[in-house]
Amino acid sequence: MVSYNIDLDKTQRYGNIRGDDISLIREVFSVPNNAAKFSRFRGGYTPSRIYAITPAGRFDIGMYHEIRKYVKSQDSNININASEQFKKIANPRVKKNTDIKLNLKFRDYQSEIIDRCCVLGRGVAVLATAGGKTLTMAGLLENYYKNNPHFSCLLIVPNLSLVSQTYNDFEEYGTTFTSTKWTGGTELKRGYNVTIANTSILQSAKSDISWVQDIDVLVIDEVHGLRKQNKINKIISKIHTPNRYGFTGTMPEEMIDQWNIIGKIGPIIYEKGSYELRKDDYIVKASTQVIKINYKFKPKNTSKTNPLARYKAEIDFITKSTYRLSVISALAKNFDNNSLILVDYIDHGVMMYDHMKKTLKDKTVYFIRGDVEVTERERIRRYMEANNNVVCIAISKIFSTGINIKNLHYIVFAGSGKAKIKTLQSIGRGLRKNDNKFKLVIFDVYDNLYYGHQHFEKRSILYDKESIKYKINIFNE
């Protein structure tokens, strides 16, 4: 009978699998290395595949459940013997308290996520944007506090705005554990239960992060950003606690990126998509109006031998198009409530902001870019919550992740691109319910050009997958 043995490696930080033949399992948890086809131009050797398991059988502990699931799916009679020491780290159960109460009542699925987190002691919850990830995290940490009033947790969020927003949300929810913020603008204060930090402060060469190795709990919000190549991934590898959780609206498309997250954090323990939340009436309905623009002239650079130059020429063309700007401005003028216009480049945003400030006299127009202070971003967010007739132009990298604006009725994709995560996260900005909002309308600017067409095709697949109906409207220059 085929048998595999799993134990901790010598460092006590990784799993190690041994058995009759691990080469097949290694191949299953591997992907083609796209960089290999370019290696002959650079010299040297680049492996043809990328593996989640080393030749010696070493793997990130969170992958244990994926490996076990695969092996058992091939033959239920195969023995997988994991040592007790390994199982305590791969499945560090947590006591579930029944008296967890906050100012907001947990939805059924939020309670279920907390239950599953406790049963396994680690894992990833995939909950669509606007599903209430922050409240779920608060409930999970409240449970830890009930078990141990002196527990310590590092909660990592991707940006400065989310540090303040998460901290404020915890206060609003009435959590009884203590929280503190740690950013470039706020000093680290020890002795609190939960330290909310952005990735930049953890990656700073000036930061002393030696203390994070000994925390009791690790929580990562927007965990889809955890990639094998980035510095935060290396920091997390040094943290000892097995109690670690990740929350995200969607996982990366590439399997090697998914396996990295699962390996570092734990298996996917819960999934609930945007369509399910809309169907159950937890968030507002959504529809998309596609603005397909046919241009009189095409970008001058149509080189087929230099794709990068061709793409840059197309981006330069659409960001400088006065016709395109007039179409988007006309849309914004007719909006009867608040709107968010997402762009990818600062120059594009500046041009749009200057134009709308002059032409949309009856509206309040803002432009949020990287150098806008967090306090000012929060002021704008609160202003939009309390007022209508606001047009907020924003760099997509800033506003596609985590920012919570309930009083948002329209989103315009005025940039370009096809990225799954950015598109879904951006849509999520407007799905939260509000007393005077019953639907989110998305305006997707589809430039009928070489890359513009390809990128819209990718976005349309996402709309179909999320069951968001779309209608194509033709605009001829």
Side-chain angles (χ1 to χ4, degrees):
M1 179 181 288
V2 178
S3 180
Y4 296 99
N5 295 312
I6 294 179
D7 203 347
L8 294 171
D9 76 338
K10 292 180 181 179
T11 69
Q12 307 289 296
R13 288 164 44 205
Y14 297 93
N16 203 322
I17 181 170
R18 290 187 172 84
D20 299 320
D21 184 7
I22 66 168
S23 60
L24 175 60
I25 298 176
R26 288 192 70 236
E27 289 300 319
V28 169
F29 294 100
S30 71
V31 297
N33 186 358
N34 294 327
K37 59 186 176 183
F38 301 110
S39 63
R40 67 178 185 272
F41 299 113
R42 297 193 297 264
Y45 170 73
T46 302
S48 61
R49 299 189 71 80
I50 303 173
Y51 292 86
I53 304 173
T54 70
R58 194 177 79 165
F59 60 91
D60 285 324
I61 291 173
M63 284 293 294
Y64 165 67
H65 302 277
E66 297 297 306
I67 294 169
R68 182 181 178 83
K69 184 167 62 177
Y70 166 73
V71 171
K72 286 297 183 181
S73 72
Q74 299 305 298
D75 187 345
S76 59
N77 293 318
I78 296 177
N79 286 327
I80 300 183
N81 304 309
S83 71
E84 289 303 314
Q85 187 183 20
F86 177 86
K87 285 192 286 189
K88 284 181 180 179
I89 295 179
N91 190 176
R93 294 174 180 270
V94 178
K95 178 185 175 183
K96 175 64 170 70
N97 292 272
T98 57
D99 60 341
I100 303 299
K101 293 181 181 178
L102 298 176
N103 292 341
L104 293 181
K105 185 179 179 180
F106 296 114
R107 296 169 180 173
D108 290 343
Y109 64 82
Q110 292 170 328
S111 294
E112 186 176 350
I113 292 172
I114 295 170
D115 288 345
R116 293 189 185 186
C117 286
C118 292
V119 167
L120 195 64
R122 65 192 303 161
V124 176
V126 182
L127 179 59
T129 304
K133 292 192 295 293
T134 309
L135 179 59
T136 308
M137 288 188 287
L140 175 61
L141 294 175
E142 191 72 12
N143 187 82
Y144 271 93
Y145 180 74
K146 295 293 184 183
N147 289 335
N148 175 17
H150 304 291
F151 89 102
S152 61
C153 168
L154 172 62
L155 197 168
I156 303 174
V157 298
N159 55 51
L160 288 170
S161 296
L162 274 175
V163 173
S164 295
Q165 185 171 297
T166 303
Y167 178 85
N168 293 336
D169 284 346
F170 283 176
E171 282 197 334
E172 183 182 330
Y173 300 154
T175 55
T176 56
F177 57 80
T178 57
S179 301
T180 184
K181 296 181 286 186
W182 183 32
T183 68
T186 55
E187 293 184 5
L188 175 64
K189 298 176 183 177
R190 304 296 304 278
Y192 288 78
N193 294 125
V194 179
T195 301
I196 307 168
N198 59 310
T199 53
S200 296
I201 193 67
L202 291 166
Q203 294 171 355
S204 172
K206 298 178 181 179
S207 298
D208 175 13
I209 58 171
S210 58
W211 62 275
V212 307
Q213 298 180 33
D214 300 317
I215 56 172
D216 299 313
V217 188
L218 170 67
V219 179
I220 304 178
D221 190 18
E222 309 296 356
V223 75
H224 58 265
L226 187 63
R227 302 299 169 91
K228 199 166 188 176
Q229 299 81 7
N230 56 25
K231 190 175 178 181
I232 200 72
N233 195 69
K234 296 178 181 178
I235 293 171
I236 287 165
S237 297
K238 297 176 181 178
I239 295 174
H240 297 151
T241 183
N243 292 127
R244 43 184 70 192
Y245 307 94
F247 291 82
T248 181
T250 183
M251 289 289 274
E253 291 184 83
E254 299 294 333
M255 283 308 304
I256 198 67
D257 292 326
Q258 289 194 31
W259 290 331
N260 178 67
I261 293 169
I262 290 169
K264 294 292 187 302
I265 306 301
I268 297 173
I269 56 177
Y270 190 90
E271 290 188 81
K272 196 174 189 71
S274 176
Y275 172 69
E276 294 175 89
L277 291 172
R278 293 200 308 275
K279 186 178 68 174
D280 295 338
D281 199 34
Y282 287 120
I283 58 178
V284 299
K285 308 299 180 186
S287 66
T288 298
Q289 294 291 330
V290 179
I291 308 301
K292 182 178 180 180
I293 301 179
N294 295 318
Y295 296 95
K296 282 183 180 179
F297 306 101
K298 303 289 183 181
K300 291 182 179 180
N301 189 331
T302 57
S303 171
K304 294 182 180 180
T305 58
N306 190 340
L308 181 60
R310 185 176 186 178
Y311 178 68
K312 285 183 176 179
E314 188 167 308
I315 292 297
D316 188 59
F317 175 84
I318 65 174
T319 56
K320 292 180 179 177
S321 169
T322 54
Y323 177 73
R324 188 180 194 271
L325 177 60
S326 67
V327 169
I328 296 172
S329 184
L331 285 174
K333 184 176 183 179
N334 290 320
F335 291 154
D336 55 358
N337 276 299
N338 293 343
S339 60
L340 174 65
I341 301 178
L342 296 171
V343 297
D344 296 328
Y345 302 98
I346 292 176
D347 289 348
H348 189 199
V350 169
M351 184 177 74
M352 194 171 291
Y353 174 74
D354 290 343
H355 178 79
M356 291 188 181
K357 282 287 285 185
K358 293 177 182 176
T359 57
L360 307 183
K361 297 292 186 182
D362 60 334
K363 294 183 182 291
T364 304
V365 183
Y366 293 110
F367 176 34
I368 296 182
R369 47 196 274 183
D371 57 3
V372 175
E373 294 292 337
V374 173
T375 51
E376 176 63 6
R377 296 181 200 178
E378 178 62 14
R379 186 194 70 78
I380 294 171
R381 186 186 75 84
R382 290 185 179 277
Y383 183 85
M384 292 180 71
E385 290 282 26
N387 297 275
N388 293 320
N389 226 19
V390 180
V391 176
C392 182
I393 303 162
I395 300 297
S396 58
K397 284 184 179 180
I398 296 174
F399 254 65
S400 65
T401 302
I403 305 300
N404 179 3
I405 303 176
K406 294 178 182 177
N407 191 25
L408 181 62
H409 296 71
Y410 305 99
I411 294 178
V412 182
F413 290 164
S416 57
K418 58 185 177 179
K420 169 188 173 184
I421 291 175
K422 186 177 80 170
T423 302
L424 293 179
Q425 297 277 34
S426 298
I427 291 171
R429 297 306 108 230
L431 292 177
R432 291 176 173 86
K433 282 194 166 186
N434 186 282
D435 291 340
N436 68 339
K437 182 173 70 174
F438 305 99
K439 187 176 185 179
L440 170 70
V441 182
I442 302 155
F443 288 86
D444 186 325
V445 181
Y446 163 17
D447 301 288
N448 192 18
L449 301 169
Y450 182 77
Y451 288 105
H453 174 74
Q454 292 182 39
H455 292 174
F456 174 73
E457 289 295 307
K458 292 284 187 180
R459 296 195 300 274
S460 68
I461 292 171
L462 289 177
Y463 294 140
D464 290 336
K465 185 177 179 180
E466 293 294 315
S467 298
I468 297 176
K469 294 181 180 179
Y470 63 89
K471 177 185 178 183
I472 297 179
N473 307 274
I474 307 295
F475 285 74
N476 296 309
E477 185 176 13

